[in-house]
Amino acid sequence: MADTMVGSNLSAVRPGLATVVEDWSSDQRAFKNVTWGKAMMWIFLVSDTFIFGSFLIAYMTVRMSTTVPWPNPSEVFALTLFGKELPLILIAIMTFVLISSSGTMALAVNYGYRKKRITTFLLLMMTALLGATFVGMQAFEWTKLIVEEGVRPWGNPMGAAQFGATFFMITGFHGTHVSIGVIFLVIVAIKVIRGDLDSEKPGFMTGRKGRYEIVETMGLYWHFVDLVWVFIFAFFYLW
Amino acid sequence: MMSYVAHDETELIPPLEVEEEELYHPKTFIGKYIWCQDAKVIAIQYTITAMGVGLLALVLSGIMRLQLGFPNSFSFITPGAYLQFVTMHGMIMVVYLLTAIFLGGFGNYLIPLMVGARDMVFPYANMLSYWIYLAAVLLLVASLFVPGGSTGAGWTLYPPQAIVEGTPGAGLGIILMLLSLMLFIIGFTMGGLNYVVTVLQARTRGMTLMRLPLTIWGILMATILALLAFPALFVSAVMMLLDATLGTSFFMPAISVAGEMLDYQGGSPVLFQHLFWFFGHPEVYIVALPAFGIVSDLIAVNARKNIFGYRMMVWAILIIGGLSFVVWAHHMYVSGMNPYFGFFFATTTLIIAIPTALKVYNWVLTLWRGNIRFTVPMLFAIGFLVTFVNGGLTGLFLGNVPVDVPLSDTMFVVAHFHMVMAVAPIMVVFGGLYHWYPKVTGRMLDPTLGKIHFWVTFIGSYSIYFPMHYLGILGVPRRYYSIENISFIPESAHTLNVQITIAALIVGVVQLVFVYNLIRSYFKGEPAGPNPWEATTLEWQTADTPPRHGNFGPELPIVYRWAYDYSVPGAVLDYIPQNQPPDSLPARETDDNPQAPPS
């Protein structure tokens, strides 16, 4: 029982719209039992959603308004493995890797709240490793597109120039998000293994006490980056 | 027998929900005043930087007016330079002055004090926010000095012309401009997250959302708008940067410049306009909503009356904020849109007039039969009301497609948006500075100089912008270097231009009186005491003036009432501070043993 209750005061939670109104009419906090860091991350993610939303809408607009035919994604992103040309195989593996990393992240959050220091550390590092693998495969994909197929941001031999432009810009922006995530995963993992979160050691620059909630805050970001990838995957590779 | 009437009775002091976070206390001079995490210091840094860059933009506008009033008298104002001045003036005023001073300046200073918090929730990110903003400002100023000069594409930066050869600053100028905007947005996001989370999650005991001063509501909603609108500008800046540097064709169609085909093809210039105005229209309200909020408080304090229709005012702010995201294409009636879009966007635009008019009526009704004190902040607040109504009414003209089409890109538009989102908000900035300067420094600003400042600015602004409506209806185009030798423009337009220029120069110069007042009063101003305006809100109830790091003394205040208990019948004084308990409740006893949270 104790294990499942850690991290939230479930007795205070009642269902229904009435409780929402009650919370928002109350003093001190509009979101009860939500820490500052978590609230901040959620609001940041809403803002970031608008960034990726604008990118994807811009992509759809240029794709629909260009007069030159759009390159066929199943051919462009095909990979020859064992003498066979397999469409979308690399991207399927990349997606699998990134979704798996969401799984390890979720486990890390759970073990973090149980204060299982070593397990949390290992799961965080595994998440970081999967994320780094994803970025590595993305680098491989970019190299293949640039070197073998001659795709450039300003043009490509297969069709509309906007294909390369939008592809590099949006996957590049997503890849940057994943890379930043990997860096912060490693930082959080180090904090976990050093025991900073158990001893509530103040942060180096912020002076804030370390708490296991930062694992969850990190997790929110990571799941968001995965979710964005699902949309990029659908719009770029399946359309 | 006196009785205090609380707006809504609170019998119980709510239990403290979270323990206080420990503040970061710097020990060195640099930590206290330079790399400072205290929101109040960050606010002052923001305000001074924004005012500095705003003065630059003011000078630029003076130079523009010199050219329009006395064409060809000044050899250094070339047509290219004129366009650069127009662009920099607009961009600085809208983004780097007004947005920064309302949210970074007033927001940082007032949010923690008014909601009863020690500081922003993430002081470190808050500090980074300012330094990134400063970097953005420096990048912007640097663009004035690069080869080719700053960009001259107009503050809307429309491609293709913003990045093709022939536009002033088409090389480095536009690149620095875009980089500066991206930095500004990153910096703002760090601050903006702080503002929202502090208001929602870090209020003191008893401070419900419906007891917040309207200033905080305005700043909160403006910050939410900014967090959702700036991404569109960020994205369009990234894409234009790629168009300008890597030769992608997001916004660039196949185009020939000076008889030569460029390498671009297939991009959509209208896409940029949609993205830009998806940011640009909410931006109007990012500037206007904090002004609405602050002016509500200035009027209530100085009319010694509660604000009329508090709940309506709050809902109006929320509704205006929501609607501001579905009106953006009214800036694009002449861009070549489907006419049905024009119908939709005209309708939504006119609907915004309802909550806005509601606010204006409520301000006027607050004044009605009030015990008005004509202090300098009050003068500026009333000045805001007048200019805002004036600019709002011409907004009705421009919101309608058939009226807008002939008036597009004329001086009428310039007159409209300067009235409604330049003069009106800057009136509130001045009013706010006169109002809170005593809290920030402990000294009053000189009221005589303040009144000179107000009357010259107010009458001067009217003599600048009122004749511009007439020029616009005559068809005088905006952003033109010279309107000489255009047959349909009568002589009277040139005469008016001279008059406008003289008024503009006088208004420009009188701002120096304000700067002088700010500096002189810091040393020689009359000591203000903790609550010179006899106001109810928490920032006036601090233990020290100016408030120390941590804002309040050892105990955070507890709030028992809304922010507008002025002239309550039966009360001793004509104002009751928010943290004054009702009669039945002893003041401080309950503080020592806060009730345990219900288990």
Side-chain angles (χ1 to χ4, degrees):
Chain A
M1 188 64 186
D3 266 2
T4 56
M5 296 289 279
V6 175
S8 66
N9 184 1
L10 287 180
S11 62
V13 178
R14 284 198 292 118
L17 191 63
T19 54
V20 176
V21 176
E22 212 169 89
D23 286 353
W24 281 79
S25 325
S26 75
D27 65 341
Q28 300 177 68
R29 291 181 298 173
F31 303 103
K32 301 294 175 193
N33 300 325
V34 174
T35 57
W36 290 347
K38 210 160 136 186
M40 187 170 186
M41 183 52 83
W42 270 109
I43 295 166
F44 168 70
L45 293 181
V46 172
S47 186
D48 216 13
T49 305
F50 273 63
I51 296 248
F52 280 106
S54 302
F55 269 133
L56 287 173
I57 286 170
Y59 155 72
M60 291 181 234
T61 312
V62 293
R63 179 161 176 175
M64 287 191 294
S65 63
T66 181
T67 50
V68 187
W70 201 259
N72 181 356
S74 355
E75 288 166 23
V76 181
F77 298 116
L79 199 65
T80 312
L81 281 181
F82 313 115
K84 257 191 203 168
E85 180 148 310
L86 298 166
L88 299 179
I89 182 68
L90 177 65
I91 219 63
I93 300 172
M94 281 168 71
T95 308
F96 178 76
V97 166
L98 201 62
I99 302 290
S100 306
S101 77
S102 252
T104 53
M105 185 72 234
L107 287 173
V109 174
N110 194 307
Y111 279 100
Y113 279 129
R114 293 171 196 224
K115 310 225 171 199
K116 301 271 166 58
R117 196 165 56 91
I118 308 233
T119 321
T120 311
F121 169 75
L122 289 175
L123 284 164
L124 281 171
M125 286 310 281
M126 203 186 293
T127 312
L129 197 68
L130 288 168
T133 311
F134 175 87
V135 177
M137 292 205 283
Q138 195 169 45
F140 171 74
E141 185 188 31
W142 276 41
T143 318
K144 178 171 163 291
L145 281 179
I146 295 169
V147 177
E148 288 176 23
E149 308 190 22
V151 181
R152 300 284 186 278
W154 53 87
N156 62 74
M158 285 91 75
Q162 281 76 15
F163 170 75
T166 47
F167 178 79
F168 288 123
M169 179 178 69
I170 296 178
T171 57
F173 217 77
H174 178 262
T176 312
H177 271 72
V178 177
S179 309
I180 292 171
V182 168
I183 293 169
F184 276 91
L185 275 169
V186 172
I187 293 175
V188 173
I190 291 172
K191 280 175 180 275
V192 169
I193 196 68
R194 279 199 315 214
D196 290 4
L197 308 187
D198 299 294
S199 63
E200 301 203 333
K201 191 178 163 211
F204 174 63
M205 290 183 289
T206 60
R208 279 284 154 80
K209 285 179 195 163
R211 295 191 187 109
Y212 270 102
E213 81 185 49
I214 66 167
V215 181
E216 191 186 359
T217 312
M218 183 66 231
L220 288 174
Y221 176 81
W222 193 256
H223 294 315
F224 170 78
V225 171
D226 281 8
L227 183 63
V228 167
W229 176 253
V230 174
F231 282 91
I232 294 175
F233 177 73
F235 282 120
F236 266 100
Y237 299 91
L238 303 183
W239 179 5
Chain B
M1 173 68 203
M2 60 176 191
S3 66
Y4 290 124
V5 184
H7 179 66
D8 40 4
E9 287 289 341
T10 305
E11 294 302 323
L12 271 173
I13 297 166
L16 192 63
E17 286 178 14
V18 265
E19 57 175 317
E20 275 188 40
E21 285 284 346
E22 212 162 302
L23 285 177
Y24 174 82
H25 288 292
K27 284 155 201 80
T28 57
F29 177 83
I30 291 179
K32 266 184 192 154
Y33 299 103
I34 314 280
W35 305 104
C36 185
Q37 302 191 14
D38 183 352
K40 295 188 294 300
V41 178
I42 295 170
I44 296 167
Q45 291 171 330
Y46 253 114
T47 308
I48 292 175
T49 314
M51 288 203 314
V53 75
L55 278 177
L56 171 67
L58 184 74
V59 171
L60 292 179
S61 71
I63 300 175
M64 278 149 57
R65 281 317 313 179
L66 280 178
Q67 165 61 27
L68 289 177
F70 310 101
N72 307 325
S73 314
F74 302 91
S75 59
F76 70 99
I77 315 175
T78 60
Y82 177 79
L83 289 174
Q84 292 172 321
F85 297 153
V86 172
T87 307
M88 292 307 266
H89 168 78
M91 192 60 98
I92 290 175
M93 287 298 193
V94 173
V95 176
Y96 297 86
L97 170 66
L98 284 173
T99 307
I101 207 170
F102 270 129
L103 302 180
F106 286 99
N108 262 318
Y109 203 89
L110 297 176
I111 289 174
L113 275 164
M114 279 185 157
V115 306
R118 296 270 182 219
D119 203 332
M120 289 288 182
V121 286
F122 294 103
Y124 185 74
N126 204 21
M127 177 191 77
L128 283 184
S129 161
Y130 169 71
W131 292 102
I132 296 175
Y133 164 68
L134 183 67
V137 168
L138 291 179
L139 217 55
L140 182 86
V141 175
S143 82
L144 294 169
F145 302 103
V146 295
S150 60
T151 177
W155 89 279
T156 49
L157 305 178
Y158 279 5
Q161 130 267 17
I163 56 177
V164 296
E165 200 80 15
T167 310
L172 272 175
I174 183 74
I175 291 173
L176 285 180
M177 178 83 251
L178 295 170
L179 287 173
S180 168
L181 282 174
M182 287 163 68
L183 270 186
F184 180 90
I185 293 164
I186 293 169
F188 172 78
T189 305
M190 295 183 152
L193 294 170
N194 258 309
Y195 313 154
V196 175
V197 179
T198 306
V199 176
L200 291 183
Q201 298 292 87
R203 283 166 281 138
T204 187
R205 280 187 274 175
M207 183 60 95
T208 62
L209 287 172
M210 278 298 176
R211 283 176 178 175
L212 287 176
L214 284 167
T215 300
I216 299 301
W217 272 109
I219 292 172
L220 170 70
M221 199 59 204
T223 311
I224 293 173
L225 294 190
L227 286 174
L228 302 182
F230 275 128
L233 180 67
F234 187 86
V235 165
S236 44
V238 169
M239 298 206 295
M240 206 203 290
L241 203 59
L242 294 176
D243 278 4
T245 54
L246 284 184
T248 58
S249 303
F250 290 111
F251 303 135
M252 299 296 285
I255 192 172
S256 81
V257 172
E260 210 175 307
M261 281 305 288
L262 300 184
D263 277 340
Y264 300 107
Q265 59 159 358
S268 165
V270 177
L271 170 63
F272 176 86
Q273 298 186 18
H274 278 294
L275 285 173
F276 181 85
W277 288 113
F278 185 81
F279 145 77
H281 196 82
E283 170 66 31
V284 173
Y285 290 97
I286 292 166
V287 169
L289 290 180
F292 290 174
I294 291 171
V295 91
S296 306
D297 283 353
L298 295 187
I299 288 179
V301 172
N302 287 294
R304 313 309 295 167
K305 264 183 73 182
N306 61 304
I307 192 81
F308 190 91
Y310 174 81
R311 274 162 197 274
M312 275 192 275
M313 296 296 256
V314 171
W315 285 108
I317 286 176
L318 298 178
I319 291 167
I320 292 170
L323 282 174
S324 72
F325 279 103
V326 290
V327 299
W328 79 86
H330 67 211
H331 298 270
M332 299 165 58
Y333 290 153
V334 294
S335 295
M337 275 191 314
N338 187 320
Y340 289 112
F341 278 10
F343 175 75
F344 172 80
F345 285 106
T347 311
T348 50
T349 303
L350 297 181
I351 289 174
I352 276 203
I354 298 169
T356 316
L358 188 149
K359 294 190 78 72
V360 173
Y361 282 122
N362 282 357
W363 288 320
V364 175
L365 283 168
T366 307
L367 289 174
W368 189 52
R369 302 186 65 183
N371 180 13
I372 297 178
R373 297 176 178 172
F374 282 105
T375 58
V376 180
M378 185 60 159
L379 290 176
F380 277 105
I382 295 171
F384 161 85
L385 276 186
V386 177
T387 50
F388 183 72
V389 168
N390 197 319
L393 288 175
T394 51
L396 297 177
F397 290 62
L398 296 174
N400 279 298
V401 186
V403 191
D404 175 75
V405 169
L407 288 175
S408 262
D409 283 322
T410 67
M411 283 305 213
F412 191 88
V413 178
V414 177
H416 159 69
F417 71 71
H418 274 93
M419 271 294 187
V420 81
M421 74 162 294
V423 179
I426 210 78
M427 287 272 166
V428 179
V429 168
F430 288 139
L433 288 174
Y434 280 99
H435 187 72
W436 280 292
Y437 187 88
K439 184 47 73 175
V440 178
T441 63
R443 290 174 187 276
M444 304 293 285
L445 281 167
D446 187 281
T448 316
L449 290 177
K451 278 174 185 165
I452 295 171
H453 177 215
F454 168 73
W455 285 109
V456 178
T457 306
F458 180 70
I459 296 172
S461 301
Y462 253 93
S463 30
I464 297 169
Y465 296 111
F466 211 70
M468 276 191 198
H469 295 94
Y470 170 69
L471 291 181
I473 290 169
L474 284 177
V476 175
R478 69 191 275 216
R479 290 182 181 164
Y480 269 39
Y481 171 68
S482 166
I483 54 166
E484 287 174 300
N485 307 321
I486 300 178
S487 57
F488 68 82
I489 296 176
E491 185 55 33
S492 62
H494 300 288
T495 321
L496 266 185
N497 260 334
V498 175
Q499 179 245 295
I500 293 173
T501 297
I502 292 169
L505 293 178
I506 294 172
V507 171
V509 169
V510 88
Q511 305 312 314
L512 295 178
V513 175
F514 178 59
V515 175
Y516 169 74
N517 198 353
L518 284 179
I519 297 168
R520 185 188 164 277
S521 302
Y522 183 77
F523 299 105
K524 295 190 179 159
E526 199 186 318
N531 192 358
W533 311 112
E534 302 181 304
T536 57
T537 41
L538 290 181
E539 81 273 23
W540 302 106
Q541 325 301 335
T542 53
D544 310 282
T545 301
R548 286 168 201 273
H549 188 44
N551 291 345
F552 302 96
E555 302 262 11
L556 282 176
I558 298 175
V559 170
Y560 299 96
R561 57 191 74 244
W562 72 336
Y564 299 99
D565 268 342
Y566 291 104
S567 305
V568 178
V572 193
L573 297 170
D574 73 342
Y575 70 104
I576 310 175
Q578 279 188 283
N579 60 347
Q580 180 166 323
D583 271 353
S584 51
L585 217 59
R588 268 293 170 190
E589 276 177 350
T590 37
D591 268 59
D592 299 328
N593 20 347
Q595 301 173 8
S599 50

